[in-house]
Amino acid sequence: MQIKSIFLFVVLLTASLAGIAQQRAIRGTVADSLTQQPLPGVTVSVPGTATGVVTDGNGHYRIVLPDGKHQLRFSYIGYSDLSLKTTPGNDILNALLSSASQSLNSVVITGYTQQSKSRTTGAVTSLPASVTTQAPVGSFDVMLQGRAPGLYVGTPTGQPGEAGRVSIRGLGSINGDVNPLYVVDGVPVANNSFAALNPEDFETIHVLKDAAATAQYGSRAANGVIVITTKKGKAWEDGKVRVNYRGQFGVSGLNSGKWDMMNTDQRLQFEEILQDPTLPGWAYSRNNPNKIVNGTLVPKTAEDYTFGSQYLDSLRLINTDWRKHLLRQGRMQSHSLNVSGGNEKTTFYLSGGYFNQDGIALNSGMERYSLRANVQNRSGRFKTTLNMGISTATIKYIQDEGVAEEGGAAVGGGGITEKNPIAALYYALPYESPYGKPGPGRYGANALDAYANALKKDNQIKAVMSLNETVELTRDFQLTGTVGMDFQQHNNTDYLNPDSWYGKLVSNGNQGSYQRGLTNRLGLVATGGVRYNRQWGKNHEVEANLLSEINKIKGNGFGFTGYGLVPELPGTPSGITPGTPDNNFIPIVNGQTTPNRLLISQIALFRYSYGDKYTFSASLRRDGSSQVPAANRYKFFYAFGGNWNILAEDFLKDQQAFSTLRLRASYGLTGNAGGFTSDFGFRTLYSPADYNGNKTLIPLTPGNPAYNWEMNRIGDVGLEFGFFRNRLRGEIDLYNRVTEGLFVNRNLSHTTGFATIAANAGKVRNRGIELMLEGDAIKNRDFSLTLGLNLAYNKNKILSLGGEEQIFADEATMNMVGRPLGSFYAVRWKGVDQQTGAPIYLDKDGNETNTYNPDDAVPMKATYDPPLIGGATLGIRYKRFDLNVLVSFIHGMSRLNYPDLYAHSGSPNYRQYSQSKDMLDIWQKPGDISKYPGAQYATYFTSRDVTSADYVKLRNVTLGYNIPVPARMSGAIRHVKVFASGQNLLSIMKWRGFDPEDANDIAQYEYPMPRTITGGINVTF
């Protein structure tokens, strides 16, 4: 009996061990298929059994497969279920989940944290970085136009490489910074350096808009945050490396703007109307019986009439279209090659890029080289991520791009000078030969001379690097640390040939000039702390982060301008004549030690989620900024947010209409410390000067020891919804943003020696609504049609200016209590007197007058910040073809149109310039009905020159075709796609000129936005 018992025990033990031996432990990572970011809280189960686990905060899981089971199912709310089969001998199984709607359920990365959007309490718009590569632009932010509700991008110039003017939910400052904060792989970067970043390396772009999303950035988040992640490597299923090449070639040309200057016949006819004897159209006309001899009118002779007719005939043979001589068809090309791969421990992404784009104006263009290496390694409890990107860019500019004569808003381009070739398009007369010598009044030849004899370029170096280390102390606790660097260098050169027309006009020596300038900006960030993430039961999850951070930004610069150049040494500082007191060629030397600021912060982030039903978040940040006086240096910023998944409630359990229904709300406080143009602006600053022949210091700025932060309070309520299994989906947000302590330049008594002092004296409110809609109208195996629309309406209102009723911004705009920031003011235009041809104005009281008085200027219902912005998208897929269309639009924006003003003036001050064809209808005699007064009257800026800058643009069209790969080549080539793209194809607008887009209120002579057509290929090996 004992022997039988022992035998039975051995048999049962063997069977048990055999069963255990047949069970397998499978582990892996679950990530979002679009962003490659890990997904926490994913349910991993074995179909047909009760076995299941949930992924941890890093998307990791470990599950034991029962005997005979080889299938795993991955489930997560908002994502399509995924079933994968395990393979013998392989215990690693990674999974990529596809969102049912990427716009509603993608992973949200805020820089410090990440989670699925279903558990995000803030207003965040996530964009795949592919939207920035659909068209070849030097600065990626320009491609964000019309992509996200509440995000406005104004393109100041068509110059390749120039950054846009970006704002989120309106303007919240007068003198402070209005740009959002940009964060690349956890490193804050300068907002004017995107020309040297390669968007081909970007993975995702997240636009953070409300306090719940942005308050974790504290004093830098008043204007929103744009978080960019770069591409990471992946351990591919077959264990092999992936190589991807993308190349584009294209051409650029002038857009479809309204440029309607006179031809030669029309110009000569116009000059005859003017009857100005200094202009050939009247001086040599047979209708003019007199000529000028020694300043006296004398009758013409028969020989004079014969010569005059011959001379005018010779002018008519010259009919120059200056667009053909001052602009060109630019070519572009871009190439990007990346390699990615790895294993379960280490993954890598390596890339190199080349971009070259000619500007449509001669002498302009951009060339960029870029390299990137991203490596991730997991070894035991340690996870290391290293991101390194370095690039160099050379940008060539036209002369006087961004230069105004006096005052005015020069930011963004468009100098009113003859050296600016875009101005010459309006100035140059059609009977001027493009082959003539430069000289006074020869605007076209002078511009061509500037092209041939001037060089203006900027050599940039950009490096963004970050190292992140995560140490898993326990399953719930992690230590995290990040160090990063943003380095930017600009090496500027401006050369003017001494033998050129403009070179001989240089006041110092009359022999050209050579200018060099070098500026460096280094941003350093170090962040460290602890993260706690725990899940218990079926529904509870807590995530908490305690962090400390240091941000240091330091810069310097120097430069010189030399004169009296030796022609035999062109384009080099060796040609500068040494300056002496006798020759007056003393070089100008300058330097700077700014920026120089430090920000020290402590950050606390908290999130609690109850299943997929409720999420609550809170953030608290303490910032200390060196830009603020010691008494006000440290401030607390906070935010609270909540997210309610209404569909998870029992009372909606059986409803069939909604597939997504989430309500979120947030409130918080952010700040802005950058109200001064200098990092030390709160101090009294001094500059060197001469006094009675001796060197001394004089006060430069008054300083303000009471200066404080701008404080930004934001409330937001949003609803995310989806119908018919998210075939129709969308979001709607209502927000209220109030900025207090607004930076305002208050007037001072002139006895102080200063005109103004910067003070925290204003208050402004931005209140609005945002809507995003997206729908799959048709969706089947071979054909799909997706439509999208985003709209944002923002109402900006100044609530206080610290006791002032109005503060003038420049000659065209003002800030006035009760009106939006940047409201225009002008003398009102009434029309033209039919009997006298005199202009009719309205005085302050609304009475008609023929006398122009600047004091009669009144505020207008016009502003340069558009209240309504939006975009519409169309996506079509048919078998192997795909088509994507983007239309962007704005409404309610106005600008002072200086080129149009000068092109519609017959007055003696402007008639020497070319004029619009409309001027043939100028008033000539009593009874004429005309919009343009008689030529004897002076031209002034009035309300009619503030014109609508609204537009609807066919921003981008991209057509692609996926070429089938033959079976015999499938081992070498995995995927081939060819595509064609068009940018700025069509504009619908009232604007008279090349383009209404810009970064400011005054249109001068900006570089036109080009129309670009490209073709390309994308190959994966």
Side-chain angles (χ1 to χ4, degrees):
M1 186 70 178
Q2 186 176 5
I3 295 176
K4 290 183 179 179
S5 297
I6 294 174
F7 178 76
L8 180 60
F9 172 76
V10 172
V11 171
L12 292 174
L13 178 61
T14 303
S16 299
L17 292 175
I20 293 174
Q22 292 175 1
Q23 292 181 342
R24 297 170 54 203
I26 303 296
R27 57 190 177 90
T29 302
V30 184
D32 182 280
S33 62
L34 174 66
T35 66
Q36 306 295 317
Q37 297 301 321
L39 294 174
V42 177
T43 299
V44 184
S45 60
V46 180
T49 72
T51 303
V53 296
V54 177
T55 58
D56 62 16
N58 293 312
H60 300 152
Y61 76 92
R62 183 181 183 280
I63 190 171
V64 177
L65 283 178
D67 181 23
K69 298 296 183 180
H70 306 283
Q71 199 83 8
L72 289 181
R73 178 179 293 276
F74 302 85
S75 304
Y76 196 41
I77 186 170
Y79 286 77
S80 301
D81 288 354
L82 177 67
S83 293
L84 294 178
K85 188 175 182 179
T86 62
T87 56
N90 187 1
D91 296 335
I92 304 296
L93 184 62
N94 297 323
L96 294 175
L97 298 189
S98 298
S99 172
S101 168
Q102 290 290 355
S103 61
L104 290 180
N105 298 292
S106 58
V107 172
V108 173
I109 302 171
T110 65
Y112 296 111
T113 64
Q114 66 182 50
Q115 60 269 332
S116 68
K117 193 169 184 183
S118 64
R119 296 182 178 181
T120 300
T121 62
V124 181
T125 299
S126 300
L127 301 171
S130 58
V131 302
T132 66
T133 59
Q134 290 181 354
V137 292
S139 185
F140 92 96
D141 52 344
V142 175
M143 277 303 295
L144 297 180
Q145 294 168 318
R147 296 289 184 180
L151 176 67
Y152 170 70
V153 182
T155 50
T157 170
Q159 164 72 46
E162 285 295 279
R165 192 263 284 183
V166 181
S167 63
I168 298 175
R169 293 185 169 180
L171 302 178
S173 184
I174 295 178
N175 295 319
D177 188 8
V178 297
N179 291 291
L181 171 69
Y182 293 87
V183 179
V184 177
D185 289 333
V187 179
V189 299
N191 58 22
N192 61 346
S193 60
F194 298 121
L197 291 178
N198 183 7
E200 294 280 357
D201 291 329
F202 296 171
E203 185 72 58
T204 60
I205 300 169
H206 302 273
V207 182
L208 317 184
K209 295 180 283 189
D210 71 337
T214 65
Q216 56 194 305
Y217 290 97
S219 60
R220 297 171 298 164
N223 304 298
V225 183
I226 296 179
V227 177
I228 300 167
T229 62
T230 57
K231 295 177 180 178
K232 304 297 187 293
K234 179 185 175 184
W236 302 99
E237 292 81 0
D238 57 6
K240 297 181 180 179
V241 169
R242 295 287 193 274
V243 179
N244 187 79
Y245 166 78
R246 178 184 172 93
Q248 288 188 82
F249 298 87
V251 294
S252 299
L254 188 62
N255 61 32
S256 58
K258 300 176 182 179
W259 186 85
D260 60 348
M261 309 308 288
M262 294 178 178
N263 60 29
T264 295
D265 286 337
Q266 292 165 334
R267 174 67 191 188
L268 294 176
Q269 180 186 348
F270 177 67
E271 293 178 357
E272 193 160 350
I273 293 173
L274 295 179
Q275 297 188 2
D276 186 337
T278 65
L279 300 174
W282 177 246
Y284 299 106
S285 171
R286 284 190 169 272
N287 296 322
N288 180 8
N290 300 311
K291 63 179 180 180
I292 299 178
V293 179
N294 297 325
T296 304
L297 289 178
V298 297
K300 289 181 178 179
T301 65
E303 290 80 5
D304 292 329
Y305 283 113
T306 300
F307 175 79
S309 297
Q310 293 174 345
Y311 183 77
L312 291 178
D313 287 342
S314 67
L315 290 183
R316 291 187 177 94
L317 294 176
I318 305 172
N319 189 25
T320 306
D321 184 347
W322 285 104
R323 291 173 296 184
K324 297 180 180 179
H325 296 276
L326 297 176
L327 302 179
R328 67 180 174 184
Q329 184 182 81
R331 298 181 180 180
M332 70 77 52
Q333 59 175 311
S334 69
H335 306 273
S336 179
L337 181 70
N338 64 70
V339 181
S340 65
N343 52 38
E344 66 273 9
K345 288 187 176 181
T346 303
T347 60
F348 64 89
Y349 172 86
L350 307 175
S351 76
Y354 174 73
F355 180 91
N356 192 338
Q357 183 175 20
D358 295 332
I360 61 172
L362 280 70
N363 280 17
S364 67
M366 171 184 167
E367 186 176 35
R368 177 181 65 216
Y369 297 87
S370 63
L371 292 172
R372 173 161 289 278
N374 292 346
V375 180
Q376 291 180 302
N377 175 264
R378 175 174 292 278
S379 178
R381 296 177 179 272
F382 295 87
K383 179 182 178 182
T384 304
T385 301
L386 176 64
N387 303 303
M388 298 186 297
I390 186 168
S391 58
T392 177
T394 299
I395 305 177
K396 294 182 179 180
Y397 297 91
I398 61 175
Q399 288 294 311
D400 289 352
E401 172 74 353
V403 177
E405 285 186 330
E406 293 182 7
V411 177
I416 306 179
T417 74
E418 293 182 28
K419 279 191 290 185
N420 179 359
I422 310 305
L425 288 173
Y426 288 86
Y427 294 163
L429 299 174
Y431 52 67
E432 179 190 344
S433 172
Y435 309 107
K437 293 184 178 179
R442 297 176 179 175
Y443 307 112
N446 294 348
L448 290 172
D449 181 76
Y451 270 146
N453 294 286
L455 172 66
K456 187 175 184 179
K457 67 177 182 178
D458 178 15
N459 291 320
Q460 299 182 12
I461 296 176
K462 180 76 171 180
V464 181
M465 303 181 184
S466 66
L467 174 65
N468 175 266
E469 187 72 33
T470 301
V471 182
E472 295 184 358
L473 300 178
T474 68
R475 181 180 177 87
D476 301 328
F477 275 100
Q478 296 177 340
L479 290 179
T480 65
T482 299
V483 292
M485 177 190 75
D486 171 37
F487 174 76
Q488 179 178 334
Q489 182 182 91
H490 293 267
N491 191 342
N492 296 283
T493 303
D494 197 341
Y495 168 71
L496 194 55
N497 191 323
D499 289 333
S500 67
W501 163 254
Y502 287 110
K504 294 177 180 179
L505 296 179
V506 175
S507 57
N508 285 11
N510 305 118
Q511 288 182 259
S513 63
Y514 183 92
Q515 178 179 332
R516 288 289 297 272
L518 181 70
T519 59
N520 295 307
R521 180 189 184 276
L522 176 63
L524 299 172
V525 60
T527 307
V530 61
R531 174 180 296 131
Y532 176 75
N533 184 264
R534 185 185 178 193
Q535 301 172 359
W536 70 96
K538 293 183 178 180
N539 297 311
H540 302 283
E541 180 187 7
V542 168
E543 180 184 356
N545 294 265
L546 292 176
L547 306 168
S548 292
E549 184 174 87
I550 298 177
N551 282 272
K552 173 68 175 178
I553 298 177
K554 188 173 180 61
N556 59 68
F558 64 90
F560 63 87
T561 304
Y563 303 99
L565 306 187
V566 178
E568 289 78 13
L569 295 172
T572 171
S574 301
I576 298 174
T577 300
T580 68
D582 297 327
N583 65 19
N584 198 33
F585 295 164
I586 305 299
I588 297 174
V589 180
N590 57 68
Q592 67 185 63
T593 57
T594 56
N596 191 354
R597 55 183 180 265
L598 179 67
L599 182 71
I600 299 177
S601 310
Q602 296 82 42
I603 309 163
L605 308 174
F606 175 81
R607 176 178 63 86
Y608 169 74
S609 296
Y610 181 78
D612 292 311
K613 186 182 294 188
Y614 308 114
T615 295
F616 171 78
S617 70
S619 66
L620 180 66
R621 178 172 178 135
R622 180 178 181 262
D623 276 351
S625 173
S626 63
Q627 294 177 279
V628 184
N632 301 320
R633 182 155 295 166
Y634 294 93
K635 290 290 182 182
F636 283 95
F637 304 96
Y638 61 86
F640 302 97
N643 186 332
W644 176 28
N645 180 14
I646 306 174
L647 291 186
E649 299 292 348
D650 291 338
F651 60 84
L652 289 178
K653 192 173 184 180
D654 297 326
Q655 66 84 33
Q656 301 296 324
F658 289 96
S659 48
T660 298
L661 190 62
R662 288 195 294 267
L663 179 67
R664 50 179 167 74
S666 66
Y667 179 80
L669 177 71
T670 58
N672 187 1
F676 290 104
T677 56
S678 166
D679 287 338
F680 309 99
F682 63 90
R683 299 176 180 270
T684 301
L685 301 179
Y686 296 85
S687 64
D690 291 322
Y691 180 76
N692 197 25
N694 298 313
K695 296 297 181 183
T696 186
L697 290 175
I698 61 172
L700 183 64
T701 60
N704 182 1
Y707 162 79
N708 211 328
W709 307 68
E710 277 187 349
M711 306 302 283
N712 199 56
R713 288 178 167 80
I714 312 173
D716 182 279
V717 176
L719 181 69
E720 303 170 12
F721 54 87
F723 301 92
F724 317 117
R725 293 181 174 270
N726 280 346
R727 288 282 292 273
L728 176 63
R729 49 205 176 264
E731 297 181 45
I732 185 169
D733 276 83
L734 299 171
Y735 64 87
N736 188 63
R737 173 187 174 197
V738 177
T739 306
E740 297 178 302
L742 204 69
F743 303 134
V744 173
N745 289 328
R746 300 193 64 176
N747 296 323
L748 292 177
S749 169
H750 289 290
T751 60
T752 65
F754 302 100
T756 62
I757 184 172
N760 300 93
K763 186 176 182 180
V764 67
R765 182 183 69 203
N766 286 279
R767 177 180 292 173
I769 183 171
E770 297 172 353
L771 174 67
M772 187 281 292
L773 287 174
E774 189 178 58
D776 301 318
I778 302 173
K779 189 174 183 180
N780 55 47
R781 179 177 179 180
D782 292 332
F783 183 77
S784 66
L785 172 63
T786 302
L787 300 171
L789 174 69
N790 71 80
L791 290 169
Y793 175 77
N794 180 76
K795 186 175 183 180
N796 182 283
K797 184 177 181 179
I798 299 175
L799 304 179
S800 172
L801 290 174
E804 303 281 349
E805 281 300 314
Q806 59 189 28
I807 296 177
F808 296 99
D810 50 39
E811 69 266 34
T813 57
M814 66 187 304
N815 297 309
M816 185 176 184
V817 175
R819 293 182 177 271
L821 286 171
S823 294
F824 285 90
Y825 73 100
V827 175
R828 288 170 289 178
W829 172 266
K830 177 65 175 178
V832 176
D833 190 311
Q834 296 183 20
Q835 298 304 312
T836 65
I840 304 173
Y841 312 104
L842 297 180
D843 63 18
K844 275 192 174 181
D845 299 323
N847 302 314
E848 294 186 4
T849 177
N850 296 126
T851 302
Y852 181 87
N853 184 355
D855 293 335
D856 287 329
V858 298
M860 300 173 58
K861 293 182 178 179
T863 177
Y864 78 92
D865 189 49
L868 180 64
I869 60 176
T873 58
L874 167 68
I876 298 176
R877 177 190 57 81
Y878 176 67
K879 294 185 177 180
R880 294 184 174 272
F881 290 93
D882 58 74
L883 173 70
N884 293 282
V885 179
L886 170 66
V887 176
S888 64
F889 52 88
I890 65 171
H891 179 72
M893 179 178 180
S894 298
R895 300 184 71 210
L896 166 55
N897 193 340
Y898 265 139
D900 195 57
L901 184 156
Y902 296 151
H904 288 86
S905 173
S907 72
N909 289 333
Y910 305 117
R911 64 177 57 167
Q912 71 270 25
Y913 304 140
S914 185
Q915 295 288 308
S916 168
K917 298 174 183 178
D918 298 341
M919 291 300 289
L920 295 175
D921 294 328
I922 191 174
W923 184 93
Q924 300 180 53
K925 62 183 183 304
D928 282 354
I929 300 175
S930 175
K931 295 187 294 183
Y932 310 106
Q936 66 271 34
Y937 298 101
T939 299
Y940 300 101
F941 157 51
T942 66
S943 60
R944 75 166 177 172
D945 302 307
V946 178
T947 57
S948 170
D950 298 347
Y951 63 78
V952 177
K953 286 194 173 186
L954 183 56
R955 182 71 63 181
N956 180 261
V957 177
T958 301
L959 176 64
Y961 176 69
N962 296 284
I963 300 176
V965 178
R968 65 180 181 276
M969 300 178 63
S970 59
I973 299 177
R974 301 176 186 274
H975 177 253
V976 180
K977 182 177 183 178
V978 293
F979 58 90
S981 176
Q983 181 79 357
N984 291 323
L985 297 178
L986 177 67
S987 297
I988 301 173
M989 58 188 183
K990 296 180 181 179
W991 183 260
R992 297 172 63 96
F994 290 121
D995 209 302
E997 288 193 67
D998 208 318
N1000 55 33
D1001 55 341
I1002 300 177
Q1004 298 180 72
Y1005 294 98
E1006 293 90 357
Y1007 194 121
M1009 289 293 296
R1011 175 189 289 139
T1012 305
I1013 306 294
T1014 63
I1017 186 170
N1018 193 23
V1019 184
T1020 302
F1021 301 94

